[in-house]
Amino acid sequence: MKSYAKKVYVFMCASAILVGGVNVAQAMSVEEYNEQLPVWGVSWTGGNGALNGYYPSFYTGFIPRVQEPNRIHIRVSRGNQTRVSLILDEQTVYDYLYDLKTRKDFYNKLVADKYIDVSPSKAVVFPHLENFNAVLNSGVLNAVEDFDARKITKEQLYAESLKALKQLNSARTFDVRIDLAREFLKWRDENVSTVNSGIAKSSTQEAMVLVNKMLMGRINLTRKLNNAELSQLSNLIDQATVLSDEGFVKATYALFESVTDGKYDIRTLADNGQLVDAKSCNSLNDCSLSYVEVTTIYPTGSLEGTTSDKYKHKINQFATAGLANFTDGGSRSAVDNIRSEPYYGFAPKMDYEGVGNGFHNPAVRLWPNSSQKKALNIPGSHAAFWSVKRGGVSHGCLRLPIGHVWELRQSMPVENDKMKKVFWFGNSSADFDIYDLTGEGNPVAVGVTYYITYSLKGSSGLDKREGQGLEASVDLIDYYSKLFGKNVFDKSGLRIINPSISIQTVEDYFTERSRGRVKTSYTVEGSFPLYEQNYEKDKIQMFTSNKIKGFNSGLNGGGSRSLSKRFVRLIGRTKGCAPFSNQEACGGKAFESEKQQILAEIR
């Protein structure tokens, strides 16, 4: 565990960034890409074609897109962060390199055919698309050419695709190795042996919570238990002290297979280069779950309000907690809705609540001075800056860095109907996210290296969209005391002490007519290290368009189905698939159909 000095100061030399027609290296690493960017947030200078100084944008990062909704987990927790965990199934890995190639080709075609201008007149923006191209030109896509030329096998394509995915998302990709026998016996000793089988007579909250505890953080039941599962659970409770260890583990594994609804019915790469089932349970000494997971953690803004924890200390409050699906609200065209107000940045606003609460961009613009620019690695030619306040700032929505908004959209299915099947897990304001990143029995309290603070220029109107008092260096002990609340962490090593956690079930599900809540929060005894993931630097290309007639007016005031908004949304739905993939299942067919329709309308 790293130690913390009294003060943390960030000083980096600002890179000289030129825009518009600049010759950049034909190849670069993702690390070199990151070095050019601000430490946190996005900066730019508006020019011709901007709307109140803002531009639309698209994603130029490297997160994979997962098409199966039940393999995406999104959780918001105390400390103002959002964790997104993606189970990498075969489809995702096989398609990954082809998806990157399709995105590269489509983005560049839009520029070449003058659908978009990535260097608007008199604007100063980062050349993200050039850098995205340069990373992919570094050999990342060689396996695509080799497979198309039949130089490598399908298994070798999988291996090369997974290798590239790990390289491009190195700090966020985890080889999960779970000893299921160990976890099931721990569940028996700590939970099953102490309850009455009567709780399994119906799918009660208590029964569903007990099942979730079978493999904490990786079951996340979003439906009621069926009669067969209730019978299995009842038998496990009755026989917990009678069955041998091996008998109990095998019986628990059968229940585990049922309640996870196929989310772990995937294959993964073994050491011998062959694809094998991710889970198996043949004996007490051979009962495991092994797969690759991408977990990323985003700083998150929350409601302008506070509440109290169990120690009666004030902490940031979330407007809504519980369980929900993402929604298009019935009246909007899609979950990835593009709002008209410029301060939303014409990036997706993805709601999980009918009243309008959802994820969107920072929506607060700052104007850093020279010393702040130096500290944050912002080029001197850039004037405006977007960053999230990790605390109370919104009417009820959750705010993410704009690069993370686009990345969240990129990680979700192409189709709107599938997006609506993705669940959102909102912890109670006082509850932490305790998660075992590798499954090896070392749970941590998740966090992120993000320490920006600021206040709003005013309490009403557009003053709430302009920030002031930006601080890029903070006293971490003071910062975390305000963020987490006092007496919950060890100041010498930043360990979270006896945290409370939320376990959501279908009993916490809420609709557009009822606000959410969490029925079950409980304290986990112990001291858990604070895992701070490195901030994923925002990767978005700002642009404008002269080819779409009335492009700006279609963004700023046009209806949700305006051509301008559908065009921006289309870029965020770009999807490529391996040649042997089912084009409908992988999302490629949906993207191609929508692309042809929209580009035809523009012509």
Side-chain angles (χ1 to χ4, degrees), residues 148-160:
D148 290 346
R150 299 185 180 181
K151 293 181 179 179
I152 61 175
T153 66
K154 191 175 176 180
E155 288 76 16
Q156 288 172 321
L157 171 65
Y158 182 100
E160 290 299 314

Side-chain angles (χ1 to χ4, degrees), residues 348-497:
K349 181 177 183 291
M350 295 173 283
D351 293 347
Y352 46 78
E353 190 173 5
V355 298
N357 286 336
F359 289 106
H360 65 74
N361 77 319
V364 173
R365 180 172 51 182
L366 296 129
W367 307 93
N369 59 38
S370 58
S371 63
Q372 291 166 339
K373 288 180 181 181
K374 182 178 180 181
L376 291 169
N377 199 33
I378 298 171
S381 58
H382 288 203
F385 179 61
W386 256 334
S387 67
V388 161
K389 180 179 180 180
R390 201 174 169 189
V393 69
S394 78
H395 296 295
C397 285
L398 297 171
R399 301 188 183 188
L400 301 179
I402 189 170
H404 298 173
V405 170
W406 273 119
E407 185 168 271
L408 177 60
R409 175 62 191 101
Q410 175 67 30
S411 69
M412 297 170 74
V414 173
E415 304 91 333
N416 187 63
D417 285 346
K418 282 189 177 180
M419 280 191 76
K420 291 196 292 184
K421 294 178 182 178
V422 176
F423 278 92
W424 169 88
F425 291 75
N427 278 12
S428 290
S429 299
D431 290 350
F432 289 89
D433 183 8
I434 306 297
Y435 192 61
D436 189 344
L437 292 159
T438 63
E440 296 176 334
N442 302 302
V444 296
V446 301
V448 59
T449 56
Y450 186 88
Y451 314 123
I452 280 180
T453 61
Y454 57 80
S455 59
L456 302 181
K457 187 176 180 181
S459 60
S460 62
L462 290 178
D463 281 349
K464 296 191 71 171
R465 306 300 178 180
E466 301 290 334
Q468 61 183 10
L470 173 66
E471 292 184 29
S473 60
V474 296
D475 181 324
L476 281 188
I477 300 303
D478 179 65
Y479 182 84
Y480 280 123
S481 295
K482 293 175 181 176
L483 187 64
F484 293 137
K486 298 177 181 178
N487 295 347
V488 296
F489 65 92
D490 176 355
K491 296 182 178 62
S492 62
L494 281 182
R495 300 180 68 90
I496 306 300
I497 302 168

Side-chain angles (χ1 to χ4, degrees), residues 325-341:
N325 292 107
F326 285 87
T327 176
D328 58 19
S331 61
R332 298 188 296 276
S333 61
V335 173
D336 45 352
N337 184 39
I338 307 296
R339 290 287 293 263
S340 297
E341 300 90 338

Side-chain angles (χ1 to χ4, degrees), residues 178-197:
I178 302 175
D179 182 338
L180 291 177
R182 177 197 68 208
E183 295 302 317
F184 293 163
L185 294 176
K186 179 182 177 183
W187 177 61
R188 178 194 66 184
D189 296 342
E190 295 182 358
N191 297 280
V192 178
S193 300
T194 63
V195 301
N196 187 292
S197 61

Side-chain angles (χ1 to χ4, degrees), residues 525-544:
E525 299 294 333
S527 174
F528 297 86
L530 177 65
Y531 163 80
E532 291 191 293
Q533 188 174 85
N534 287 336
Y535 179 88
E536 174 59 22
K537 294 191 175 183
D538 300 63
K539 297 179 176 65
I540 59 163
Q541 178 64 61
M542 293 182 176
F543 71 94
T544 189

Side-chain angles (χ1 to χ4, degrees), residues 10 184 298 318 511 534 576:
V10 183
F184 293 163
Y298 303 138
F318 299 129
T511 66
N534 287 336

Side-chain angles (χ1 to χ4, degrees), residues 73-77 81-83 220 425 427 433 502 504:
H73 186 85
I74 301 172
R75 181 175 293 268
V76 180
S77 60
Q81 66 265 320
T82 298
R83 172 172 60 86
N220 303 309
F425 291 75
N427 278 12
D433 183 8
S502 293
Q504 295 90 340

